[in-house]
Amino acid sequence: MAAEIVNPRSDSEAGADQGAGAEPLDSFDPAFALHRGGKMAVQATVPVRDKDDLSLAYTPGVAKVCSAIAEQPDLVHDYTWKSSVVAVVTDGTAVLGLGDIGPEASLPVMEGKAILFKQFGGVDAVPIALNCTDADEIVETVVRLAPSFGGINLEDISAPRCFEIERKLQERLDIPVFHDDQHGTAVVTLAALRNAARLSGRTLGELRAVISGAGAAGVAIARMLVEAGIGDVAVADRKGVVSADRDDLTPVKRDLAGFTNKGGLSGSLEAALSGADVFIGVSGGTVPEPAVASMAEGAFVFAMANPNPEVHPEVAHKYAAVVATGRSDFPNQINNVLAFPGIFAGALQVRASRITEGMKLAAAEALASVVGDDLAADYVIPSPFDERVAPAVTAAVAAAARAEGVARR
């Protein structure tokens, strides 16, 4: 029944499927009404009003352009949409908080991602939901699709396969490949943490952080915080703090243990939080209030699980100087849309061959700088609707790409 409800057909057809006299769900839920027929469409950028327009847009005029590109392949960037379009690729295995719901059910999210690319970064994007979950099959499929796109945004692919898929695609393609669940989250988290530290008169190097969740986002955040100079960061999974003395670690977590937890912590998340300056939640679940109370004075709590933060803001505010969540109905929303549109816009602008750590760090610094002198406990990160965000991130990423030698124009 659910598939019939969301199928983009006429109201009369939908009503017939639901039984005589039944009203379509559009009548009751505005989300269904908004999604009917999908949220996006392809639109021409040139007119086709008469035979002259047709002969230029299609045959015979198009043949001249094809022949020129065949002789000089780089011309594809100038005479097609390649350099301004991103593929949003998923296998539907880790969709928002819904989990493994499959490729068809993931499409509303992928369409949403595509319209955010356009709205906030001026980047065209195409949703591609793949009916396979094997890492090598996904890699081979994306490699074959890549000639049509200027970049690949991997989305909602479950860990640990997401790490392998991104790495292999980066090795085989000469266009940006970016897993937003990892790196977009990390960029925005770092930006907010930079400003929280600035507000408290401290540097990142003076902070000890604890991350709840050793999946895609947790690993990427830890890596970026270390790159940015955090004093120390420990990551906890369901079995406790990821440490080198554990014998149950996956290859990804063994690598994680190698560059985190300089303090040698072990045991539970709650124990690790004692005296910690920062809590970052990307795992779900609930952190007991006594554990939050045990954190250092002036601590920061970034509880980003949706819809239920690991620490409810009402509880967090009792003990923390700065509180952030992943929700839009509380201040300081850690929202990936602050990062990925500008990151891709900057990379595409200079035809970058990849997105480097330096480009991501530059994006975080630019995002943090947008807040400027308006910095306050309830404003350590700007709103996605702040029109300064995308231009600032785009310019910083483009400049970093040039500085790191990955720009091709």
Side-chain angles (χ1 to χ4, degrees), residues 195-275:
N195 277 338
R198 179 164 69 93
L199 182 68
S200 67
R202 289 177 285 176
T203 66
L204 289 178
E206 298 174 78
L207 303 178
R208 178 171 74 84
V210 176
I211 299 173
S212 174
V219 171
I221 292 169
R223 189 176 298 278
M224 181 158 281
L225 292 184
V226 170
E227 290 277 348
I230 191 81
D232 195 10
V233 55
V235 183
D237 62 11
R238 291 183 179 88
K239 297 182 179 180
V241 174
V242 174
S243 56
D245 60 354
R246 281 177 48 179
D247 60 6
D248 60 345
L249 299 180
T250 65
V252 170
K253 291 179 183 178
R254 279 199 298 272
D255 179 63
L256 180 66
F259 66 86
T260 62
N261 194 16
K262 292 187 297 186
L265 299 175
S266 60
S268 68
L269 167 72
E270 291 80 6
L273 280 175
S274 178

Side-chain angles (χ1 to χ4, degrees), residues 64-76 79-80:
K64 298 178 183 178
V65 181
C66 292
S67 297
I69 293 172
E71 293 177 6
Q72 301 180 58
D74 281 351
L75 291 177
V76 69
Y79 294 105
T80 73

Side-chain angles (χ1 to χ4, degrees), residues 95-99 281-286 303-314 324-330 333:
V95 181
L96 297 179
L98 303 174
V282 284
S283 65
T286 301
M304 301 188 294
N306 264 318
N308 300 311
E310 294 89 348
V311 183
H312 193 279
E314 290 182 2
T325 72
R327 289 174 43 158
S328 59
D329 54 344
F330 292 108
Q333 184 190 17

